[in-house]
Amino acid sequence: MKIATKMIHAGATPDPSTGAIMTPIYQTSTYVQEAPGKNKGFEYARSQNPTRKALEEAFAIIENGKFGLAFSSGVAATDAVIKLLEPGDEVICANDMYGGTYRLFTKVFEKFGIRFFYVDTTNAANVAAAITTKTKLVWLETPTNPLMNITDIEAVAAITKPKNILLAVDNTFASPYLQNPLDLGADIVMHSVTKYLGGHSDVIQGALMMNSAELREKLYFIQKSCGAVPGPMDCFLVLRGIKTLHVRMKQHCENGKIIANWLRKHPKVAKVYWPGFEDSHGYAVAKKQMRDFGGMLSFTLKDDSMENATRVLSSTHLFSLAESLGGVESLINHPASMTHASIPREERLKNGLTDSLIRLSIGIEDAEDLIADLEKAIG
Ligand SMILES: *Cc1c(COP(=O)(O)O)cnc(C)c1O
């Protein structure tokens, strides 16, 4: 099945009780049993819910996986993956990744004896060099937030597979429309569904996708035991969001390309981070593993002061100043003071995350209007 058909039909079977074409919102906590132990496959809604089940089937299909699991947030999905591990186990992860993932790893799990090692995964050799006999998981994010670094998933999988080390990829920035890590050798795909999959800035949710039935059993056990499950209304909203993922992503990519090229020529802009530039560091790998380059980009200003960045950030009208990304409306964000404020300034600067770095989540409005808005703000 081709991609558009898949997005529209994934997980969509008419409701068996009425024939309703859209999966109903099964707003229930429990299910009446015919006799003790005799039920229709649904016992208690933390463990099973028909709306969630339809969505989890959709998750599997859109990532070319066999199984999908839904969680109450992206970080809850990540949390479930780390709970596969035991004290003493080691994780290798990217040194440039979502701040909430870093916080979860360092502030929550380190105290349980799990050790995390941060390396520059854009060079797969660094991953190989960090592996010890205790390494159980490699956690990748590509493209990264906010510097759009690209890691070669296939190259890392070639290192982890022979050693039976799990490879998990946070695929939030690309979305399943642009990149399918399971096809490239990953064992687990994680999404902050909150972003492109939901697509309308109206839901917090997470997802895991995988091919191994054994892994699915272990993660399902964690899902029901720890209980970070989304409600049926949120599942319904995401089922609805996925149906337009391909048309939204096409427009995000088209607008992203126009705006990246426009910014690059702007006399007041210093540097634009977007993986679609042929001379960008990650271009060759992005071209190989992604279908297009996405709607996320960052840029710095020639006047690299906090004041100048603040002036631009406060002057847009169509771009709303907010955290998050992946919705139909465009957002503007200041990593140094917002999403990445928890990282010490010296650390930030080392990685190129300067005071004037501005991140854009390009929405699906008309590109001309978005450019006019940015033109006025940059001045
Ligand atoms: C937002 C985000 C997360 C966390 O997801 P939540 O749904 O906010 O819990 C994880 N990874 C990336 C890349 C994100 O952008």
Side-chain angles (χ1 to χ4, degrees), residues 39-324:
N39 59 62
K40 297 182 166 72
F42 298 92
E43 297 159 290
Y44 184 63
R46 174 156 39 75
S47 308
Q48 312 99 0
N49 177 284
T51 319
R52 196 171 90 220
K53 185 163 178 271
L55 176 61
E56 290 178 334
E57 283 166 16
F59 281 160
I61 292 166
I62 63 177
E63 272 296 3
N64 300 336
K66 290 203 175 78
F67 308 102
L69 290 169
F71 291 84
S72 55
S73 68
V75 292
T78 305
D79 173 89
V81 175
I82 305 302
K83 283 174 179 158
L84 291 167
L85 307 178
E86 287 175 21
D89 286 351
E90 295 181 0
V91 182
I92 297 169
C93 30
N95 60 1
D96 168 34
M97 59 179 189
Y98 176 68
T101 306
Y102 178 77
R103 184 175 59 192
L104 179 69
F105 289 177
T106 55
K107 299 279 163 60
V108 179
F109 280 110
E110 268 180 11
K111 67 170 185 268
F112 293 108
I114 296 167
R115 301 186 64 204
F116 298 87
F117 297 89
Y118 302 90
V119 307
D120 176 3
T121 59
T122 61
N123 180 356
N126 293 336
V127 176
I131 290 175
T132 75
T133 52
K134 292 180 180 160
T135 308
K136 292 288 156 56
L137 172 73
V138 171
W139 184 274
L140 296 181
E141 193 181 309
T142 181
T144 61
N145 176 12
L147 296 171
M148 310 297 146
N149 286 318
I150 304 287
T151 291
D152 187 333
I153 300 170
E154 238 173 348
V156 176
I159 295 164
T160 54
K161 270 255 144 63
K163 296 190 146 68
N164 280 323
I165 295 167
L166 283 177
L167 175 60
V169 178
D170 181 339
N171 202 29
T172 301
F173 264 42
S175 92
Y177 176 77
L178 294 180
Q179 177 172 281
N180 301 115
L182 295 178
D183 292 345
L184 301 168
D187 300 293
I188 302 171
V189 174
M190 175 267 166
H191 278 280
S192 170
V193 175
T194 313
K195 317 294 168 51
Y196 286 109
L197 289 175
H200 297 76
S201 311
D202 52 9
V203 67
I204 294 281
Q205 194 177 107
L208 297 177
M209 294 81 160
M210 68 239 66
N211 278 318
S212 151
E214 188 192 337
L215 206 46
R216 190 264 171 198
E217 272 323 294
K218 286 181 183 165
L219 289 164
Y220 171 64
F221 180 80
I222 292 167
Q223 182 200 40
K224 75 174 182 188
S225 303
C226 301
V229 291
M233 176 72 192
D234 287 357
C235 293
F236 173 86
L237 286 171
V238 175
L239 275 167
R240 179 173 159 138
I242 288 172
K243 286 184 193 293
T244 56
L245 180 69
H246 56 296
V247 276
R248 286 186 284 110
M249 288 311 296
K250 266 184 211 158
Q251 199 61 43
H252 284 299
C253 291
E254 194 179 310
N255 285 356
K257 183 178 183 178
I258 294 170
I259 291 171
N261 282 297
W262 176 80
L263 277 171
R264 198 176 219 198
K265 291 196 203 97
H266 197 288
K268 292 193 176 164
V269 170
K271 186 165 167 57
V272 183
Y273 296 86
W274 180 65
F277 292 129
E278 285 185 26
D279 57 356
S280 83
H281 181 61
Y283 178 78
V285 176
K287 181 103 185 132
K288 178 179 76 150
Q289 68 188 16
M290 298 170 73
R291 292 185 188 90
D292 205 337
F293 303 105
M296 292 302 299
L297 58 90
S298 298
F299 65 98
T300 55
L301 298 162
K302 283 191 181 148
D303 170 358
D304 190 42
S305 63
M306 200 67 117
E307 297 71 42
N308 191 37
T310 306
R311 181 187 61 77
V312 173
L313 287 150
S314 319
S315 314
T316 57
H317 297 287
L318 285 176
F319 282 86
S320 302
L321 180 61
E323 297 195 8
S324 199

